[in-house]
Amino acid sequence: MFQEEEVLDLKMCDLEGDLQGEGKDEPGYELRSTPDKGAGVYATRNFSKNSIVVIGNPIKKAEKNTPWTTQVGINSFILRGGLSSKVNHSCSPNVGYRDNDNGGMDYVAFRDILCGEEIVTDYAMGNYVIEHMPECLCGSSRCRKQITGWKDLPGEMKKEYAGFHAQYLAEMDANERE
C-alpha cells in the first residue's frame, strides 16, 4: 500500500516527459521533508547524466571553511544561495560538482536522475577537507560512516568522480604529491 505522499509523487512523475526534461517547469526540484535528515532537495522532473540539475549561485565569499560554506578554490570559500545549500550528502551521489562562471559550483547529474528522487552529492566532490560534519546518515551500501573530504577518498573513488568534482581538487592532489 502506498503512502499518500508516494501516490502524489508517482502521479507528478507519470506526467513528466523524457530524461531531457524539455518543456518542464523550472527549476526541476523542490525542498521536501526527509525521514532522517530534516529536509532535502527532490527532483520534480527527470535529469539525464551530465545535465545541470541545480545552478550554484554564491551569495557571498567566506573567509574560512564552516558548516555552511562550500570550498571553490584552494583557500576560497563561498556561501551558496537558494536550494543548492540544502542538497544532502550521500556516499552514493546522483549529482557531482562543476565549476561555473558565477564563482560557484553547479550540481551536475552524475547519473540519470528520475523524478521523485532526492538530489544528493558526495561532499568530498567539492571540499578537500571536511571539518564540521557529523557522522554520515546516507544509508548507502557504500557508506563511509563519516562525511569525509577529497583528501581522504581512495584513489579508485577519485577516478570514478573524474569530471564531477571541483577543479581545484586536482591542484590540491598535485600539491600533496610534491
Side-chain angles (χ1 to χ4, degrees), residues 81-119:
L83 292 185
S84 63
S85 64
K86 298 291 187 180
V87 172
N88 285 320
H89 167 83
S90 175
C91 297
S92 295
N94 56 17
V95 295
Y97 292 75
R98 192 160 296 151
D99 300 62
N100 68 29
D101 294 336
N102 301 331
M105 297 283 173
D106 294 335
Y107 286 119
V108 177
F110 185 61
R111 62 166 174 78
D112 290 345
I113 300 170
L114 299 177
C115 181
E117 281 188 73
E118 184 179 6
I119 297 168

Side-chain angles (χ1 to χ4, degrees), residues 48-105:
S48 59
K49 183 177 180 175
N50 288 313
S51 63
I52 295 174
V53 179
V54 180
I55 295 174
N57 289 315
I59 55 174
K60 76 178 207 179
K61 289 185 178 188
E63 292 183 21
K64 62 181 183 173
N65 194 8
T66 73
W68 303 277
T69 58
T70 297
Q71 191 170 2
V72 293
I74 293 174
N75 291 308
S76 182
F77 305 91
I78 61 166
L79 290 173
R80 297 169 70 129
L83 292 185
S84 63
S85 64
K86 298 291 187 180
V87 172
N88 285 320
H89 167 83
S90 175
C91 297
S92 295
N94 56 17
V95 295
Y97 292 75
R98 192 160 296 151
D99 300 62
N100 68 29
D101 294 336
N102 301 331
M105 297 283 173

Side-chain angles (χ1 to χ4, degrees), residues 5 8-10 12-13 16 25-34 38-45 47 53-54 82-84 86-88 115-120:
E5 184 175 300
L8 292 175
D9 287 346
L10 289 173
M12 177 185 62
C13 293
E16 299 297 329
D25 292 338
E26 291 300 327
Y29 54 86
E30 65 186 11
L31 189 65
R32 295 186 193 163
S33 294
T34 62
V41 179
Y42 285 80
T44 58
R45 65 175 176 87
F47 291 93
V53 179
V54 180
L83 292 185
S84 63
K86 298 291 187 180
V87 172
N88 285 320
C115 181
E117 281 188 73
E118 184 179 6
I119 297 168
V120 291

